[in-house]
Amino acid sequence: MYVLGIDFGGGAAKATLLSSDGVITATHSVEYPTNYPQKGWCEQNPHDWYAAARQCIGALLEKSGIPASEIAAVSLDAATHTAVLLDDDFQPLRPAIHWTDSRSVAEVAWLKEHFGQTIETEVLHKPDTIWTLPQLLWVRKNEPEIWRQTRKILFAKDFVRHQLTGDFVTDKIEAQGSMFFNYRTMDWSLELCEVAEIQASMLPKLVQPIDVVGEVTSQAAEETGLVAGTPVLCGTTDTVMEVFASGAVCAEDMTVKLATAGRICVVTRQAYPNRNLINYSHVAEGLWYPGTATKSCAASYRWYRDTFGGKYRELDAGAEAVPAGCQGLLFHPYLNGELTPYADPLLCGSFVGMRAHHTRAHFTRAVLEGVALSMLDCRLALEEIQIPHADTAVVIGGGAASPLWRQILADTLDLTLVQKENSDSSFGSAMLAATAVGMFRSLEEAVKQCSQEVSRTFSCPERHALYRELFRKYKNVQAALEPIYHES
């Protein structure tokens, strides 16, 4: 018996096939584009997600050689805050506005002025461009014809799952990223729905991530190679699946995420409402994983690769030969504004301190170090709140595959970073599916069986001191450039 987990990340889908003994049988990834049609805009085509899923499933079946009939369940996950506007036939009416999009600045200001206290009370967050509510207000104002045709609203992984099963549901963790969800009632907020002028019926039914919500239809079976009738879980968000896959299922466990966005999360027994924190429920009952966030983490490295060319391993090899600190070259990863600690969608990315001796390798390392310095901003904000946490952190996300980046991050944050054999979100989704069908008796048993440590990266005191001095300059540059960005 096998289970299948599929993740839809910021730039690619990844599928993981897991056996009943907790061993990965095969994996496959397929990239899809992100479009930036205007300054601050960030969009994806929902059909690209499903196309990537079909390719991933076909490749897994071919690689593994197992019959699709042996797949006992499928579970999906994706980045939250990314809504899909659908017509009566569940067809997308426009590209999905990605959560990193910052076009809704005016809508955020309006929400803060008129509904700020209501939102903070019900949602535990302040309005920001990352949330679905201001994004939909922008569509209502600027694309009224699209808005008039909108009948249903789904989120990224839910749209793909609808293609598989025809269901119309989402999970309660995903819903927390919409700014339509009341944390206290754990249901849709009718008051916030009224703010956006939508009916609650336009939003999907709320269930738990582990719930089986449908079966693969005959049409989806033809398109994917799966067997009709295969159970499909609701699934949930990518970060909580990575947190789960990393083994962080106890209070005070900490994770450091190097993915499209960067996050530092601590598992807690309560939410921590704070300007610098994003609060989400954990899949483990009664727990939360509040965290700080930098908006363009691995997204910065992918932008750099796509813009200037090269392969990650080759880029890393060049950067490794450059001394720590890049001989004065600094990078700020604010490609789509920034979250912690600025909550400022108008900030811009920058290279500062360029000299004639700087080479391509310097610029590569500067990107890695700039993201790490942004993560230090996140760590310091977390320390101010004084949330109890462990002395080590599990490093997760695609960027964690880079030994160089892990070392830079450990040195900058002054943390011991634990790398697990597998900790990506598609693996977490497969573990969740395995628990749902009884391969594991509990989430804790799934972690015990599947989450294996492979290495530790320790901080170097000398390099940490260097990066703290570099951080001082990094902050000064941000403060100097911020007024300029606000003029444009």
Side-chain angles (χ1 to χ4, degrees):
M1 184 165 63
Y2 300 83
V3 288
L4 175 62
I6 310 177
D7 162 62
F8 301 90
K14 180 179 179 181
T16 294
L17 191 64
L18 190 69
S19 69
S20 57
D21 56 0
V23 175
I24 291 179
T25 302
T27 65
H28 191 76
S29 297
V30 174
E31 291 191 354
Y32 40 74
T34 300
N35 300 311
Y36 305 93
Q38 294 189 39
K39 178 183 176 181
W41 291 27
C42 183
E43 299 181 340
Q44 292 182 348
N45 183 344
H47 292 298
D48 288 343
W49 306 330
Y50 185 51
R54 295 199 309 268
Q55 293 179 57
C56 282
I57 294 167
L60 284 188
L61 293 174
E62 183 177 351
K63 284 181 179 180
S64 66
I66 71 160
S69 59
E70 292 192 28
I71 297 178
V74 179
S75 185
L76 312 179
D77 69 82
T80 189
H81 313 182
T82 302
V84 185
L85 305 186
L86 303 163
D87 63 16
D88 282 320
D89 298 320
F90 283 88
Q91 292 301 308
L93 292 164
R94 67 174 326 282
I97 298 176
H98 197 260
W99 72 268
T100 55
D101 188 286
S102 59
R103 76 184 72 184
S104 56
V105 173
E107 288 71 26
V108 166
W110 182 81
L111 286 169
K112 286 181 178 178
E113 180 180 356
H114 296 283
F115 299 97
Q117 188 57 54
T118 298
I119 290 172
E120 286 188 50
T121 299
E122 295 203 6
V123 179
L124 305 185
H125 298 117
K126 294 181 183 293
D128 191 278
T129 57
I130 67 173
W131 309 105
T132 306
L133 174 54
Q135 295 168 358
L136 297 193
L137 291 179
W138 184 94
V139 174
R140 190 182 76 186
K141 177 181 177 181
N142 294 278
E143 298 178 351
E145 184 57 33
I146 295 293
W147 190 249
R148 279 193 291 270
Q149 298 177 68
T150 300
R151 296 293 179 269
K152 302 290 183 184
I153 299 169
L154 277 175
F155 303 96
K157 63 105 173 41
D158 304 313
F159 172 77
V160 178
R161 197 189 56 253
H162 173 82
Q163 305 302 108
L164 293 174
T165 69
D167 69 69
F168 183 49
V169 303
T170 195
D171 68 286
K172 293 185 179 183
I173 301 176
E174 177 84 61
Q176 291 164 16
S178 68
M179 204 156 266
F180 292 118
F181 186 82
N182 188 316
Y183 275 81
R184 290 170 176 81
T185 65
M186 297 300 281
D187 203 351
W188 297 120
S189 166
L190 297 180
E191 186 171 359
L192 294 178
C193 286
E194 289 178 4
V195 171
E197 297 184 10
I198 65 172
Q199 302 295 319
S201 61
M202 297 170 68
L203 297 170
K205 176 184 176 183
L206 292 167
V207 300
Q208 297 299 333
I210 203 168
D211 291 346
V212 173
V213 296
E215 298 177 345
V216 174
T217 65
S218 56
Q219 179 179 338
E222 291 180 10
E223 294 171 344
T224 63
L226 294 172
V227 172
T230 302
V232 182
L233 278 65
C234 179
T236 187
T237 70
D238 57 352
T239 300
V240 74
M241 285 295 89
E242 288 172 317
V243 169
F244 171 45
S246 76
V249 292
C250 297
E252 301 189 14
D253 288 345
M254 184 161 64
T255 59
V256 174
K257 179 177 179 179
L258 286 173
T260 298
R263 294 197 66 193
I264 302 179
C265 297
V266 179
V267 178
T268 65
R269 294 186 177 89
Q270 65 185 63
Y272 283 80
N274 184 279
R275 171 184 184 275
N276 285 319
L277 288 184
I278 297 175
N279 286 278
Y280 281 110
S281 301
H282 200 296
V283 285
E285 187 175 354
L287 296 179
W288 296 73
Y289 67 103
T292 50
T294 181
K295 208 169 186 181
S296 298
C297 179
S300 290
Y301 203 14
R302 178 169 177 173
W303 163 82
Y304 179 79
R305 181 204 67 175
D306 291 348
T307 303
F308 300 104
K311 297 181 179 179
Y312 288 128
R313 287 186 180 179
E314 295 170 357
L315 293 170
D316 273 15
E320 195 166 10
V322 174
C326 291
Q327 297 177 308
L329 183 63
L330 277 172
F331 172 72
H332 288 75
Y334 310 145
L335 301 184
N336 291 295
E338 184 56 304
L339 295 173
T340 307
Y342 310 108
D344 189 347
L346 299 181
L347 292 182
C348 298
S350 64
F351 284 103
V352 176
M354 290 172 277
R355 294 281 188 173
H357 67 275
H358 287 130
T359 66
R360 182 185 184 188
H362 286 84
F363 280 86
T364 303
R365 186 175 183 113
V367 171
L368 303 181
E369 291 186 342
V371 170
L373 292 168
S374 185
M375 295 286 278
L376 180 56
D377 246 341
C378 292
R379 173 160 167 72
L380 295 177
L382 198 62
E383 293 294 324
E384 287 180 7
I385 303 166
Q386 297 182 331
I387 300 176
H389 60 76
D391 296 331
T392 62
V394 179
V395 60
I396 60 179
S402 166
L404 173 62
W405 211 355
R406 292 199 307 272
Q407 187 62 64
I408 290 172
L409 195 64
D411 293 337
T412 305
L413 300 182
D414 195 25
L415 275 176
T416 297
L417 298 180
V418 177
Q419 186 185 23
K420 296 297 183 75
E421 184 176 9
N422 300 289
S423 62
D424 70 87
S425 46
S426 68
F427 182 59
S429 283
M431 290 168 60
L432 191 71
T435 306
V437 297
M439 285 167 55
F440 304 119
R441 290 173 293 180
S442 65
L443 300 179
E444 291 75 16
E445 183 179 296
V447 165
K448 184 177 181 180
Q449 180 69 24
C450 300
S451 184
Q452 305 298 323
E453 180 179 330
V454 294
S455 71
R456 293 195 170 212
T457 304
F458 298 95
S459 171
C460 167
E462 292 78 13
R463 286 195 296 268
H464 175 64
L466 183 152
Y467 283 128
R468 287 306 295 257
E469 174 58 23
L470 197 64
F471 183 67
R472 182 186 64 81
K473 297 177 182 177
Y474 176 92
K475 296 285 282 186
N476 287 341
V477 170
Q478 181 278 326
L481 292 179
E482 180 180 326
I484 299 172
Y485 298 143
H486 282 249
E487 290 176 3
S488 56

